[in-house]
């Protein structure tokens, strides 16, 4: 048994993966999480009479890292694969966009627009030099290849839906990564959108993951919010807001970059500037339970700007309704910065705003169909892929001996999802251990 002790700050999927890999190599590991349970953005909560994911998640056939972990957790046999459909809500109407024929008959675009849109998506799927794309504003690149009409009718509403007005400072690498992920799924799925979920949702995954961590001898401390991390020649001291204090040889903070900059004492001005310079988007996500289905689509993309949410995810179009007590579960997400006034609004106000819009979008729905509404929000969900993003990213190894900062902001050539999170944890841990040796 190696004598080096490791403290992992943050019990999301990133922290859980790092803790598991370190323990598997014989290190003594303690995992700390501020919340009452592990999981972070993958955590679950009680929705009506069942427990399901607080934010929506899906597994793609191409998610080899996620599927690898699920195999380690003996959950690979519990993955249900479903061929899903995609909808598009534009100009007050709902269209299916699940195959080539439906794409060709999509009314808002003429034939030339559709051809240019198809070329744009195909080109993005084939490009490999994502670092060059980091230097090009996404608006410039999309207009060049798709044309202004397609950009204004399709790309701009979708960019605003995911990024708000921050799309203006976002690089082409963002749309490249999004298209790459979906193309990889289709390559693995015989050109069909085969999406998967584990029976029981992420609650089941996290239960098994936590059991695995315990079996590897990992100490787990919940309700432990890190207040300060300080380094000395002897090691690293972590103080928690509950008054507890722990000492380790090495510490990895998986907390968002700005928070890590605040709690890691003694960082250089340049490090702090780089960490705080990373811009994050947050999310408001409403979970709504209905007594009826609203569409056959797992995802309905929205281009109409009057709607306050940025898409409709009908989880019941993917997961068996038995998971939801026979009802329909939908998610209504809205991506925005934490400073946005809507993010600060009371849950009741957001609930009213979202439900009024939902009933207008689907006129056959009434308030009587709604059985539950829950509002979840997270202030720092993903880092914006700004111009030259990877060049400005701070090093994982800090100037503080034994202190590393690794989080989802280090995903430079992908989009934020569980698979990318596990992949970055696995790959960057090798660098950390190589430095440690």
């Amino acid at each position: 048994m190696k004598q080096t002790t490791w403290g992992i700050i943050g019990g999301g999927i990133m922290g859980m993966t790092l803790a598991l890999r370190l323990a598997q190599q014989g290190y003594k590991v303690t995992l700390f999480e501020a919340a009452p349970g592990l999981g972070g953005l993958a955590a679950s909560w009680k929705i009506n009479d069942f427990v399901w994911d607080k934010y929506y998640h899906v597994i793609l056939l191409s998610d080899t890292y996620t599927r690898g972990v699920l195999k380690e957790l003996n959950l690979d046999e519990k993955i249900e694969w479903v061929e899903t459909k995609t909808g598009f809500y534009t100009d007050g109407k709902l269209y299916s966009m699940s195959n080539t024929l439906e794409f060709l008959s999509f009314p808002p675009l003429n034939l030339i627009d559709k051809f240019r849109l198809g070329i744009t998506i195909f080109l993005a799927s084939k490009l490999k030099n994502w670092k060059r794309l980091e230097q090009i504003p996404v608006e410039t690149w999309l207009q060049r290849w798709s044309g202004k009409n397609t950009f204004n009718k399709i790309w701009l509403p979708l960019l605003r839906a995911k990024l708000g007005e921050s799309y203006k400072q976002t690089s082409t690498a963002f749309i490249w990564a999004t298209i790459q992920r979906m193309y990889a799924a289709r390559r693995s799925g015989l050109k069909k959108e085969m999406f998967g979920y584990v029976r029981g949702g992420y609650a089941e995954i996290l239960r098994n993951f936590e059991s695995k961590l315990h079996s590897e001898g990992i100490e787990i401390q919940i309700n432990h919010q890190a207040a300060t991390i300080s380094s000395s020649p002897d090691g690293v001291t972590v103080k928690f807001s509950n008054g507890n204090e722990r000492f380790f040889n090495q510490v990895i903070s998986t907390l968002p970059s700005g928070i890590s900059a605040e709690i890691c004492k003694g960082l250089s001005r340049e490090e702090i500037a780089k960490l705080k310079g990373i811009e994050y988007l947050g999310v408001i996500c409403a979970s709504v339970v209905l007594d009826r289905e609203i569409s056959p689509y797992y995802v309905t993309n929205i281009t109409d700007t009057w709607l306050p949410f940025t898409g409709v995810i009908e989880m019941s179009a993917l997961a068996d309704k038995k998971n939801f007590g026979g009802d329909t579960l939908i998610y209504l997400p809205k991506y925005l910065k934490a400073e946005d006034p809507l993010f600060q609004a009371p849950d009741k106000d957001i609930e009213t705003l979202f439900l009024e819009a939902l009933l207008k979008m689907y006129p056959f729905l009434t308030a009587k169909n709604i059985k539950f509404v829950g509002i979840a929000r997270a202030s720092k969900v993903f880092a914006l892929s700004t111009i030259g993003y990877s060049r400005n990213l701070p090093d994982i190894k800090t100037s503080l001996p034994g202190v590393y900062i690794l989080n989802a902001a280090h995903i430079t050539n992908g989009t934020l999802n569980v698979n990318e999170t596990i992949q970055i944890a696995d790959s960057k841990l090798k660098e950390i251990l190589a430095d440690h040796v």
Side-chain angles (χ1 to χ4, degrees), residues 91-113:
D91 296 331
K93 294 182 179 180
L94 189 61
Y95 301 94
S96 181
M97 284 274 278
S98 304
N99 56 49
T100 304
L101 285 176
E102 290 174 346
F103 171 70
L104 291 173
S105 63
F106 188 52
L109 299 179
N110 62 41
L111 200 57
I112 294 175
D113 292 336

Side-chain angles (χ1 to χ4, degrees), residues 25 425-435:
Q25 296 192 48
D426 282 346
S427 62
K428 297 301 183 183
L429 183 59
K430 292 176 183 177
E431 295 179 22
I432 292 172
L433 291 176
D435 171 70

Side-chain angles (χ1 to χ4, degrees), residues 244-416:
N244 289 346
E245 181 178 319
R246 295 290 294 271
F247 179 84
F248 299 96
N249 301 119
Q250 313 285 330
V251 167
I252 305 175
S253 171
T254 69
L255 305 180
S257 300
I259 297 175
S260 292
E262 291 286 345
I263 67 174
C264 292
K265 302 303 180 182
L267 293 171
S268 68
R269 287 185 178 180
E270 182 183 2
E271 287 174 307
I272 292 172
K274 282 190 172 184
L275 288 166
K276 290 190 172 182
I278 295 172
E279 294 189 56
Y280 282 85
L281 276 189
V283 69
I284 295 170
C285 191
S287 297
V288 182
V289 178
L290 305 169
D291 64 3
R292 60 165 296 172
E293 298 173 1
I294 58 172
S295 82
Y297 312 120
Y298 169 64
V299 173
T300 297
N301 296 298
I302 295 173
T303 62
D304 285 16
T305 55
W306 64 269
L307 285 159
F309 39 83
T310 55
V312 178
I313 290 79
E314 191 161 350
M315 190 56 60
S316 312
L318 171 67
D320 193 313
K321 291 172 70 173
K322 291 178 182 176
N323 291 283
F324 317 125
D327 289 321
T328 292
L329 171 64
I330 65 170
Y331 292 99
L332 305 174
K334 168 71 172 178
Y335 294 92
L336 69 179
K337 289 188 176 181
E339 303 82 49
D340 191 294
L342 184 61
F343 195 87
Q344 311 299 329
D347 285 357
K348 198 65 183 174
D349 291 355
I350 295 171
E351 178 182 325
T352 300
L353 178 68
F354 279 26
L355 290 184
E356 285 180 354
L358 183 70
L359 296 181
K360 288 180 182 177
M361 185 176 175
Y362 301 94
F364 53 82
L365 286 178
T366 70
K368 292 181 180 179
N369 297 120
I370 300 167
K371 299 180 69 173
F372 173 89
V373 183
I375 305 297
R377 65 186 92 197
S379 61
K380 298 183 185 297
V381 175
F382 64 91
L384 283 170
S385 179
T386 49
I387 303 298
Y389 179 77
S390 64
R391 290 185 308 179
N392 300 317
L393 201 61
D395 292 334
I396 295 167
K397 180 183 179 182
T398 73
S399 60
L400 305 176
V403 177
Y404 302 87
I405 297 173
L406 172 61
N407 54 47
H410 290 94
I411 300 172
T412 54
N413 60 342
T415 59
L416 177 65

Side-chain angles (χ1 to χ4, degrees), residues 8-239:
I8 307 297
I9 310 301
I13 295 294
M14 174 82 73
M16 295 173 78
T17 303
L18 291 170
L20 176 62
R21 298 298 179 234
L22 285 166
Q24 287 173 334
Q25 296 192 48
Y27 292 102
K28 184 174 176 58
V29 184
T30 304
L31 176 63
F32 297 95
E33 168 56 39
L38 300 179
L41 291 171
S44 302
W45 63 345
K46 194 170 188 297
I47 301 175
N48 226 15
D49 296 324
F50 57 88
V51 173
W52 199 258
D53 311 342
K54 187 176 287 190
Y55 305 97
Y56 57 96
H57 303 281
V58 69
I59 304 167
L60 307 188
L61 283 166
S62 55
D63 286 348
T64 53
Y65 287 88
T66 300
R67 295 175 68 183
V69 167
L70 292 178
K71 189 171 184 179
E72 289 184 70
L73 303 179
N74 298 314
L75 288 174
D76 48 327
E77 296 299 320
K78 283 193 172 184
I79 303 176
E80 299 282 351
W81 296 105
V82 179
E83 182 181 348
T84 60
K85 294 182 178 181
T86 300
F88 237 85
Y89 188 83
T90 185
D91 296 331
K93 294 182 179 180
L94 189 61
Y95 301 94
S96 181
M97 284 274 278
S98 304
N99 56 49
T100 304
L101 285 176
E102 290 174 346
F103 171 70
L104 291 173
S105 63
F106 188 52
L109 299 179
N110 62 41
L111 200 57
I112 294 175
D113 292 336
K114 290 168 186 171
F115 176 76
R116 295 190 69 172
L117 178 59
I119 288 293
T120 305
I121 295 171
F122 179 77
L123 179 63
S125 75
K126 296 300 180 184
L127 289 173
K128 302 299 180 186
N129 188 0
W130 59 270
K131 285 195 174 182
R132 185 178 70 83
L133 297 177
E134 268 195 333
Q135 310 309 315
I136 307 170
V138 67
E139 181 177 7
T140 301
W141 192 85
L142 287 173
Q143 284 200 22
R144 179 190 306 158
W145 289 100
S146 290
K148 285 190 176 181
N149 190 48
T150 303
F151 178 79
N152 289 329
K153 286 189 175 180
I154 299 295
W155 290 119
L156 181 57
L158 292 179
L159 288 173
R160 281 187 167 138
K162 190 71 174 179
L163 304 169
E165 291 306 307
S166 298
Y167 81 88
K168 295 176 182 176
Q169 63 200 83
T170 302
S171 79
T172 305
F174 169 81
I175 207 70
W176 172 86
T178 303
I179 292 170
Q180 285 282 321
R181 175 166 161 79
M182 298 315 300
Y183 250 77
R186 283 178 172 259
R187 282 194 294 269
S188 303
L190 302 176
K191 304 301 180 184
K192 297 178 180 178
E193 286 190 341
M194 295 292 289
F195 289 174
Y197 70 98
V198 170
R199 294 192 296 274
Y202 263 85
E204 178 71 7
I205 295 173
L206 292 174
R207 272 195 298 270
N208 283 263
F209 208 150
E210 186 168 352
S211 295
K212 179 71 172 177
L213 297 180
H214 282 302
S215 71
E216 294 288 346
I218 295 165
E219 178 188 349
I220 298 173
Q221 292 288 345
I222 57 173
N223 296 311
H224 271 64
Q225 181 178 359
T228 62
I229 299 173
S230 54
S231 178
S232 72
D234 298 324
V236 183
T237 300
V238 184
K239 293 182 179 179

